[in-house]
Amino acid sequence: MDRRHAHHLLIGLALCAALPFLARAAQGEQVVNQDGQTVKQDEQVFKAGAELVVLHVNVFDGRSDAVPDLPQSVFSVFEDDKPQDISFFSAGDVPVTVGLVIDNSTSMLTERELVVAGTNAFAESSHPEDEMFAIVFNEHVRHGLPDTTQFTTNRLQLRASLQRFPPGGKTALNDAVIEGLNHLDKGMYQKHVLVVLSDGGDNASRHSEQEMLDRVAMSNALVYTVVDPDVFTPGEGDRGVLKRLAKLSGGVAYFPKNSRDLVKDLEEIAGNIRRGYSIGYAPPSTHVHNQTHRVKVVVRVPGRKDLSARVRNVYMESD
């Protein structure tokens, strides 16, 4: 894999890691330092030289509803089955960088209005300051926004970007996901999210499925996948790859039964993003580069046995 495109989960310079969280502190978000203290706007969040692993976590109850407003004390982090000290913790409704990766192949010819309605519902349910972009793909992977615009907060501009290219052609899902992850790296916010609307089929990519999954492992982005129920064709689409893609990143795969559920699921994804948590810890100094490490987050709330944490289960450290 080209290391120029690898997003480092380990942040070598404390200043680079701290800037997004300092901005969030200025916005009034709850930011807790490694001593468990709430950080004020003029306090230092990170110590110099810190290397950090960033995990984005959602907590769900027994009804699969995201649970907000939990304190740091209920979370425990494990790497390779060993407990880790939480260096920072943030919870709050703050802007994120979001990419929409939309299937624009022949199978979507009759579904354009539904796609636009669903993604518009997602955008309207998102934080108003989220910076967004759209990639529409068939055998070609194209950015929907004008060439001079990398991201937008304008919902009308985002909607127009979905209709910039006519549908038709083959499907290059692997290439589109990789391009989406690469573009997320250019975003200004610390938390990155990719939402993929496709049937999981691929008949035109230059990259393999494994290359795509490796790229996800190198990223700290959450990936949510959604299948359009009106275009999914057994034997052509691949629900398995969409499940693997979401699970590897700590996201969720959605398989709505009808058009109404598709719109509802996209709204739910937007809500879950806004109710998530960011947790950081300093990994062991004995790490070897380019190794894969298993991670786990456990949430324990007295009197609640129905809560579970959703987070990526591996990360790959790179040079």
Side-chain angles (χ1 to χ4, degrees):
M1 178 180 295
D2 190 340
R3 290 182 181 175
R4 292 175 301 172
H5 294 156
H7 182 79
H8 290 197
L9 283 174
L10 297 181
I11 308 172
L13 295 177
L15 179 59
C16 293
L19 285 175
F21 288 92
L22 289 171
R24 286 164 174 71
Q27 295 169 1
E29 180 190 0
Q30 178 189 1
V31 179
V32 180
N33 67 11
Q34 60 187 18
D35 298 320
Q37 301 171 332
T38 301
V39 177
K40 298 179 181 179
Q41 295 180 22
D42 57 351
E43 292 180 330
Q44 184 177 355
V45 179
F46 299 102
K47 293 182 179 180
E51 289 187 336
L52 301 169
V53 174
V54 178
L55 301 175
H56 302 303
V57 185
N58 274 116
V59 177
F60 296 98
D61 62 18
R63 298 186 302 273
S64 297
D65 293 329
V67 180
D69 304 324
L70 295 174
Q72 175 184 335
S73 59
V74 306
F75 292 91
S76 300
V77 178
F78 299 84
E79 180 185 294
D80 297 330
D81 297 323
K82 297 178 181 179
Q84 305 295 319
D85 293 329
I86 295 176
S87 299
F88 74 83
F89 173 85
S90 68
D93 183 11
V94 296
V96 300
T97 300
V98 180
L100 302 175
V101 178
I102 308 299
D103 192 333
N104 201 43
S105 60
T106 298
S107 62
M108 302 300 292
L109 281 169
T110 62
E111 296 301 311
R112 170 162 291 197
E113 290 187 7
L114 175 61
V115 170
V116 172
T119 51
N120 187 60
F122 170 85
E124 292 300 326
S125 300
S126 299
H127 192 288
E129 296 179 22
D130 283 353
E131 56 174 10
M132 297 185 173
F133 68 94
I135 287 177
V136 291
F137 70 95
N138 45 26
E139 67 266 35
H140 304 292
V141 178
R142 300 184 175 104
H143 289 262
L145 293 173
D147 294 342
T148 56
T149 304
Q150 289 191 329
F151 302 94
T152 185
T153 60
N154 187 310
R155 280 19 180 189
L156 292 178
Q157 187 178 35
L158 182 71
R159 180 170 180 167
S161 73
L162 301 174
Q163 300 174 303
R164 185 178 177 188
F165 304 103
K170 296 182 179 181
T171 309
L173 172 64
N174 302 340
D175 292 351
V177 170
I178 290 172
E179 177 58 26
L181 293 170
N182 291 342
H183 197 73
L184 282 174
D185 289 347
K186 302 175 183 178
M188 66 179 291
Y189 296 120
Q190 188 270 340
K191 187 172 182 178
H192 294 170
V193 178
L194 203 66
V195 180
V196 180
L197 179 60
S198 174
D199 66 358
D202 192 311
N203 55 18
S205 281
R206 296 179 294 107
H207 295 91
S208 68
E209 176 187 328
Q210 189 57 54
E211 287 177 312
M212 174 184 68
L213 295 177
D214 287 345
R215 180 65 181 88
V216 173
M218 297 288 288
S219 169
N220 72 341
L222 285 166
V223 182
Y224 293 88
T225 59
V226 185
V227 170
D228 185 334
D230 294 330
V231 302
F232 183 82
T233 303
E236 295 182 12
D238 186 350
R239 292 176 180 237
V241 69
L242 297 176
K243 291 179 181 179
R244 291 189 290 275
L245 183 58
K247 183 178 181 180
L248 180 61
S249 72
V252 181
Y254 289 82
F255 301 96
K257 296 179 180 179
N258 52 53
S259 300
R260 179 178 297 180
D261 284 350
L262 182 144
V263 174
K264 181 180 178 181
D265 287 345
L266 286 166
E267 291 176 332
E268 181 177 308
I269 291 171
N272 289 346
I273 293 169
R274 300 181 73 167
R275 291 188 288 268
Y277 305 85
S278 292
I279 298 175
Y281 69 94
S285 59
T286 56
H287 271 191
V288 177
H289 288 303
N290 296 319
Q291 280 191 344
T292 298
H293 301 278
R294 293 176 289 111
V295 293
K296 181 180 180 180
V297 174
V298 176
V299 57
R300 295 187 179 92
V301 177
R304 297 289 301 270
K305 296 183 178 181
D306 62 333
L307 302 183
S308 60
R310 182 104 184 172
V311 64
R312 66 170 50 244
N313 52 21
V314 299
Y315 78 89
M316 185 182 298
E317 184 179 347
S318 62
D319 292 330

